Amino acid sequence: MNIRQAVKMAWKSIWGKKGRSALTMLGVIIGIAAVMTIVSSINGYTEKTMEQYSAMGSNLVNVSIYGGMYDEEGNNLSPDYFPGLYNFCNSIPDKVVGITPQDWCRATVVYGTKNTDNMNNYYWDENNNLVGDRPPELCYASDQYSTCNNLTILKGRDLAVLDMENYNQVCVMGYQAAQVFFGSSEPVGKVVQMNGQNFEVVGVYAPRFKDPSSSQMDNLIILPYTARRVLGGEAPSEFYVKIKDDLQPKEVIPLIRGYLEGVVDTRTGGYNVQSAGQWQEYMTEQMGMISLILGGIAAISLLVGGIGIMNIMLVTVTERTREIGIRRAIGAQRSSIVAQFLIEAAMLCGIGGIIGILLGTAGSFAVGQLMFHMTIYPAVWITAAAFSLSVALGIIFGIYPAAKASNLQPVEALRAE
């Protein structure tokens, strides 16, 4: 018997008992669909996270300075380290291309009828559309904020050194924040109020993503860090330093630590300097662990499906004992019997794998839209691996029934009822 005949016989056996075959394939279908959905979702989440990290800027060094000097009212008395750190980083332009504080500000922003105090009632409707406005985030920064965060100016100008030196009350808006407050109107030159103080909008940043409404990262307002004189806030303690792309963070971190060692009083405070890329590595490691755990859970379903395949193939061997005896009596080789049952088991799992792939693709798409607001389709290698896994599962769990069938003695098989 050749392979073509074996495939025809296997298909005839599967199609002849459709209900039993469907129930047998169920474990494989669920397992393959679960594995594909999990892997695609993890990949989508990782891609989304890496996109956000990339939008925040690459080749960054994070500098944290913390102090323990407080007055009786709980106010932080730590000195303002930024001017010195700013000057130091700008004194090594062959290594550093930008430095900025990353200090968030709390203030009520008002323009016309728009008021951030009334923007906390937004929600997502049943179609995943945003209803209402989300309040923008306010950030104290330097003139090098856009350099550190890979931002470009769409309209107007960026913050300048003179804005900080002259205590100018100006701001640059992210693309989404400008849409919230001004819509289609021209924002540059307009004046908004922050805690009752007038701030002129001098520029608007270009959106970081293709869909500007998909991320809160463009819903921000950047202020000169000297604006804390009128809006309040402590001296900044978190900074981002962007180094040249052809350098490694480890080449610059010792220089920054050396500078801070001479200016930070470690008796009342301290500092920490590390590569911002460490968070990406940590996130990748965590997602890998989660993938293993979820993949292990899905693998249990595949194992159960494989056991179901073995069980039904053993039943098939019992049902077809006389057929096997007749074939063995007229000269069929043991190898042809093994091949017949292995092909049937592989086809059974292969069909289940195809159905599981279709369900997994639909599940990946649904998860991507609902959770990440992006389209996720399984990669080609995932689809190929899933199909190969399903076929291999049929072969592995079909070996024992096939071997049992081939070992039947013709005389005993012919006597079977």
Side-chain angles (χ1 to χ4, degrees):
M1 182 180 65
N2 57 34
I3 299 297
R4 185 175 181 181
Q5 289 176 323
V7 170
K8 285 183 177 180
M9 290 181 66
W11 174 252
K12 183 178 179 180
S13 176
I14 293 171
W15 187 252
K17 298 177 180 178
K18 296 184 283 293
R20 188 173 75 177
S21 299
L23 291 175
T24 303
M25 291 187 289
L26 194 59
V28 176
I29 293 171
I30 294 173
I32 292 295
V35 169
M36 290 193 65
T37 302
I38 289 170
V39 173
S40 299
S41 300
I42 293 295
N43 288 344
Y45 179 79
T46 303
E47 179 183 341
K48 190 75 171 180
T49 303
M50 292 300 107
E51 181 185 11
Q52 292 180 348
Y53 273 124
S54 177
M56 291 170 60
S58 57
N59 228 20
L60 292 176
V61 172
N62 177 254
V63 180
S64 301
I65 304 177
Y66 48 92
M69 301 173 61
Y70 297 89
D71 60 16
E72 295 179 354
E73 297 179 355
N75 298 313
N76 195 331
L77 301 178
S78 300
D80 187 352
Y81 293 105
F82 178 66
L85 185 60
Y86 179 89
N87 292 331
F88 171 76
C89 289
N90 283 297
S91 70
I92 47 175
D94 57 322
K95 293 182 172 59
V96 174
V97 297
I99 175 175
T100 183
Q102 192 83 349
D103 195 26
W104 303 106
C105 166
R106 293 183 179 180
T108 300
V109 185
V110 178
Y111 179 79
T113 60
K114 297 287 186 177
N115 187 320
T116 55
D117 285 344
N118 301 325
M119 292 183 184
N120 289 312
N121 297 321
Y122 67 90
Y123 63 93
W124 300 93
D125 64 13
E126 63 277 4
N127 296 319
N128 207 34
N129 296 317
L130 180 68
V131 177
D133 295 321
R134 288 186 290 182
E137 296 178 332
L138 279 63
C139 180
Y140 293 133
S142 75
D143 59 298
Q144 297 168 359
Y145 178 86
S146 58
T147 300
C148 294
N149 289 274
N150 290 348
L151 286 166
T152 56
I153 288 293
L154 179 66
K155 299 178 180 178
R157 67 171 178 87
D158 205 346
L159 295 181
V161 176
L162 290 177
D163 291 327
M164 291 183 290
E165 292 180 351
N166 297 333
Y167 296 91
N168 293 338
Q169 294 184 194
V170 296
C171 67
V172 180
M173 286 190 166
Y175 183 86
Q176 191 176 342
Q179 294 295 309
V180 169
F181 282 96
F182 302 103
S184 59
S185 301
E186 174 60 51
V188 177
K190 299 293 195 305
V191 175
V192 297
Q193 286 194 330
M194 301 185 191
N195 286 356
Q197 299 287 330
N198 290 332
F199 280 79
E200 181 185 356
V201 180
V202 296
V204 177
Y205 290 122
R208 309 186 206 208
F209 305 101
K210 294 180 181 178
D211 180 10
S213 63
S214 66
S215 173
Q216 181 72 357
M217 292 181 69
D218 284 321
N219 193 16
L220 47 78
I221 300 176
I222 303 303
L223 307 165
Y225 98 101
T226 50
R228 64 190 179 89
R229 184 184 64 166
V230 294
L231 295 180
E234 300 174 348
S237 59
E238 297 287 335
F239 312 92
Y240 281 118
V241 178
K242 184 175 178 63
I243 64 177
K244 285 196 168 182
D245 291 336
D246 58 348
L247 296 178
Q248 295 294 324
K250 62 183 180 181
E251 300 178 55
V252 181
I253 288 176
L255 298 178
I256 299 175
R257 284 177 177 165
Y259 167 77
L260 294 175
E261 185 178 354
V263 299
V264 177
D265 188 351
T266 54
R267 294 172 300 179
T268 59
Y271 58 86
N272 185 36
V273 185
Q274 64 181 7
S275 171
Q278 290 181 354
W279 292 106
Q280 299 181 35
E281 297 173 3
Y282 175 78
M283 178 63 69
T284 301
E285 181 181 346
Q286 293 299 308
M287 295 311 299
M289 293 177 62
I290 294 173
S291 298
L292 289 175
I293 295 171
L294 296 178
I297 295 172
I300 294 174
S301 177
L302 284 175
L303 178 62
V304 173
I307 294 173
I309 294 292
M310 181 186 292
N311 180 60
I312 207 65
M313 291 307 298
L314 287 172
V315 172
T316 302
V317 170
T318 301
E319 292 176 344
R320 295 163 62 180
T321 301
R322 286 185 61 81
E323 174 193 330
I324 296 170
I326 293 171
R327 291 182 58 193
R328 291 283 284 135
I330 61 176
Q333 300 294 320
R334 289 182 58 190
S335 58
S336 65
I337 302 296
V338 170
Q340 178 187 345
F341 281 90
L342 286 182
I343 288 173
E344 184 171 336
M347 283 185 64
L348 202 57
C349 282
I351 295 171
I354 292 173
I355 298 173
I357 288 171
L358 295 176
L359 292 178
T361 301
S364 300
F365 179 81
V367 170
Q369 292 295 322
L370 295 175
M371 295 184 62
F372 309 125
H373 311 297
M374 62 186 296
T375 300
I376 299 176
Y377 289 113
V380 175
W381 72 267
I382 297 177
T383 303
F387 180 74
S388 301
L389 177 62
S390 63
V391 174
L393 197 70
I395 294 174
I396 291 171
F397 284 91
I399 289 176
Y400 175 67
K404 184 177 180 180
S406 67
N407 287 328
L408 289 175
Q409 296 299 319
V411 175
E412 294 179 2
L414 288 171
R415 289 176 180 171
E417 292 294 332

